[in-house]
Amino acid sequence: MVTRLTRAERKGQTRSDLVAAARAVFLRRGFHEATLEDIAEEAGYTKGAVYSNFAGKDELFLAVLDAHFERRVEEWALDLALDDSATLEETYRAVARKMDEADRREPDWTPLMLEFWVHASRRDGLREQAAASRRRFLALMSSFVEEVARRHGVEFRLSALEVARGSGALARGLAMERLLDPEAAALAPFEEMHAAYMIGLTKPSAAGADSQETLR
Amino acid sequence: MVTRLTRAERKGQTRSDLVAAARAVFLRRGFHEATLEDIAEEAGYTKGAVYSNFAGKDELFLAVLDAHFERRVEEWALDLALDDSATLEETYRAVARKMDEADRREPDWTPLMLEFWVHASRRDGLREQAAASRRRFLALMSSFVEEVARRHGVEFRLSALEVARGSGALARGLAMERLLDPEAAALAPFEEMHAAYMIGLTKPSAAGADSQETLR
DNA sequence: TGTACATCAGTGAACGCGCGTTCACTGATGTAC
DNA sequence: TGTACATCAGTGAACGCGCGTTCACTGATGTAC
């Protein structure tokens, strides 16, 4: 009844079990407080299994990070494809709502990621790996920003990369405030802030002048 | 030659020596990596002196945090008093430059504070203390925002508190990006982002219509 | 299809080490008379 | 001003404990013939 797996398949299974367990435990306890013991146990293995699949705690976290970004990017791509906002401003607001929703669905993610960034920023090799992962994510988010601009026939005062970076930075900064005060920066104010930010960075496109919209 | 100090004076001296040393060591090594041994040694005492003045590592950090906020608030108050920007937009840009300057002068501060916030957010009592410290800081920053609005005869779409919170959140979120990529969000783009954000949240005041300015 | 040997994913226990916290003690400052 | 006792800031050493990492081993899978 039990499917017979090859060694490689079995190992791949173990690896993804470990990543899934690591994700859960890291979210629950944070990067520093989570132990490899917890993670291995959650996955149904022993600590040695972790070392048979990853160089150590840091590399295990990088795997969690990559899996997370991949999932988030897919969500954004889907949302973008389904977006039918009448105006550009409404799209900007919808993006804010989506970011807010993601943060409230998984409030432990942002502090976890930042905890790791701070940790990684103090170790050269690790920082470079975290930065590479970040660059891949931002490149995709930038392409979404560009797609929105194209659809609405507008351009930005800054590169799509910087626009995307600032948009995420605002959301993340506010999520940090909520760590201390859960009431801080509720959805409505955040939506307003994000719209203000995006509208302020939008300028009419030189091309496509006929499809331009008036902003406020 | 050596001034004779009373017990209370001596203890106060020790306490501020420890806070100063703690600040330096925390900045250099981060909250988790800094040890009380390092700190005591840097201050010229032993670990016991820390426990004679503070309940432990967490409370020592809170003292560093308060001292820091106090200093920053004074700087902002001074800057605000000296501000002679011709236009509101120029004030918004000057604020961005000032935040950027503070971050580049002390790039370790933001990650250090966030490391602690994440740590504190997982311990109820500590979180409440960190939140109280944060509230005090934000209340003062809000009053500066209100002062700027008053001078220029404008109002905001959100409370001064939320405006201040978002402004700091944007700066802090970008500082986090620079942890991984030091090139990210240089001064010029940040100034643009911050101006966009602030201008977008500014609305003409009902009162003082004669002193209103046109924004973009 | 069967046998003998090689590989290697995962086990389980031990290792090392660091660090926050505790505590009995000391000697200088403070107080009572 | 002097003496005897009390206080307490800071010392120095020990304690406890947790956790990331290492490693010899095992038994199931893979390979050669």
Side-chain angles (χ1 to χ4, degrees), chain B residues 7 10-11 14 45-46 48-49 52-53:
Chain B
R7 249 186 206 164
R10 189 82 197 75
K11 185 165 193 186
T14 301
Y45 299 87
T46 60
S52 179
N53 282 278

Side-chain angles (χ1 to χ4, degrees), chain A residues 156-215:
Chain A
F156 296 105
R157 294 177 198 278
L158 297 173
S159 69
L161 177 63
E162 293 291 7
V163 171
R165 194 138 51 189
S167 176
L170 180 59
R172 205 159 40 252
L174 291 169
M176 293 274 92
E177 295 281 337
R178 280 194 294 268
L179 282 184
L180 301 185
D181 175 6
E183 310 293 307
L187 172 56
F190 172 55
E191 193 180 312
E192 211 62 45
M193 291 178 197
H194 189 258
Y197 165 86
M198 290 298 298
I199 291 171
L201 290 182
T202 307
K203 62 178 178 185
S205 163
D210 48 334
S211 68
Q212 280 176 32
E213 299 170 26
T214 310
L215 291 167

Side-chain angles (χ1 to χ4, degrees), chain A residues 71-85 90-91 93-102 105 141 144 147-148 151:
Chain A
R71 207 172 323 173
R72 285 267 165 113
V73 163
E74 280 166 18
E75 285 174 25
W76 280 107
L78 187 64
D79 264 52
L80 180 63
L82 296 178
D83 177 57
D84 60 349
S85 303
E90 183 44 39
T91 296
R93 289 179 178 272
V95 167
R97 286 194 297 272
K98 163 100 183 121
M99 287 197 284
D100 187 82
E101 189 268 323
R105 180 164 29 114
M141 295 307 283
F144 297 159
E147 170 61 18
V148 166
R151 281 191 196 172

Side-chain angles (χ1 to χ4, degrees), chain A:
Chain A
M1 285 289 19
V2 175
T3 316
R4 200 50 156 264
L5 301 175
T6 66
R7 247 188 207 162
E9 286 170 332
R10 189 81 197 76
K11 185 164 193 188
Q13 181 62 51
T14 301
R15 193 189 144 95
S16 64
D17 287 349
L18 287 171
V19 172
R23 175 184 164 82
V25 175
F26 278 136
L27 281 171
R28 200 156 59 226
R29 320 223 319 162
F31 180 75
H32 288 109
E33 300 245 315
T35 70
L36 294 184
E37 179 85 48
D38 292 338
I39 293 170
E41 194 188 349
E42 172 107 1
Y45 298 88
T46 61
K47 284 193 282 183
V50 173
Y51 284 90
S52 179
N53 282 277
F54 301 92
K57 196 183 191 184
D58 291 340
E59 210 199 276
L60 175 57
F61 190 88
L62 283 173
V64 170
L65 201 61
D66 282 338
H68 180 92
F69 283 155
E70 211 166 304
R71 207 172 323 173
R72 285 267 165 113
V73 163
E74 280 166 18
E75 285 174 25
W76 280 107
L78 187 64
D79 264 52
L80 180 63
L82 296 178
D83 177 57
D84 60 349
S85 303
T87 66
L88 188 52
E89 173 165 350
E90 183 44 39
T91 296
Y92 292 157
R93 289 179 178 272
V95 167
R97 286 194 297 272
K98 163 100 183 121
M99 287 197 284
D100 187 82
E101 189 268 323
D103 189 70
R104 277 168 220 277
R105 180 164 29 114
E106 220 162 48
D108 294 327
W109 175 258
T110 300
L112 172 60
M113 187 179 74
L114 290 182
E115 198 181 351
F116 182 74
W117 282 8
V118 171
H119 172 76
S121 72
R122 292 197 150 90
R123 283 139 232 264
D124 282 346
L126 194 58
R127 188 191 51 232
E128 185 38 49
Q129 290 183 83
S133 145
R134 183 68 187 159
R135 271 194 298 275
R136 287 193 294 276
F137 179 74
L138 276 177
L140 287 164
M141 295 307 283
S142 301
S143 70
F144 297 159
V145 168
E146 279 163 355
E147 170 61 18
V148 166
R150 202 174 307 117
R151 281 191 196 172
H152 290 267
V154 296
E155 290 184 350
F156 296 105
R157 294 177 198 278
L158 297 173
S159 69
L161 177 63
E162 293 291 7
V163 171
R165 194 138 51 189
S167 176
L170 180 59
R172 205 159 40 252
L174 291 169
M176 293 274 92
E177 295 281 337
R178 280 194 294 268
L179 282 184
L180 301 185
D181 175 6
E183 310 293 307
L187 172 56
F190 172 55
E191 193 180 312
E192 211 62 45
M193 291 178 197
H194 189 258
Y197 165 86
M198 290 298 298
I199 291 171
L201 290 182
T202 307
K203 62 178 178 185
S205 163
D210 48 334
S211 68
Q212 280 176 32
E213 299 170 26
T214 310
L215 291 167
R216 270 192 194 146

Side-chain angles (χ1 to χ4, degrees), chain B residues 2-79:
Chain B
V2 176
T3 315
R4 201 53 156 261
L5 301 175
T6 66
R7 249 186 206 164
E9 287 169 331
R10 189 82 197 75
K11 185 165 193 186
Q13 181 63 49
T14 301
R15 193 189 144 95
S16 64
D17 288 348
L18 286 170
V19 172
R23 175 183 165 83
V25 175
F26 278 136
L27 280 172
R28 199 156 61 227
R29 320 224 318 163
F31 180 75
H32 288 108
E33 300 245 318
T35 70
L36 294 185
E37 179 85 49
D38 292 337
I39 293 170
E41 194 188 348
E42 171 108 1
Y45 299 87
T46 60
K47 285 192 281 182
V50 173
Y51 284 90
S52 179
N53 282 278
F54 301 92
K57 195 183 192 184
D58 290 341
E59 210 197 277
L60 175 57
F61 190 88
L62 283 172
V64 170
L65 201 61
D66 282 338
H68 180 92
F69 284 155
E70 211 166 304
R71 206 172 324 171
R72 286 268 165 112
V73 163
E74 280 165 17
E75 284 173 26
W76 280 106
L78 186 64
D79 264 53

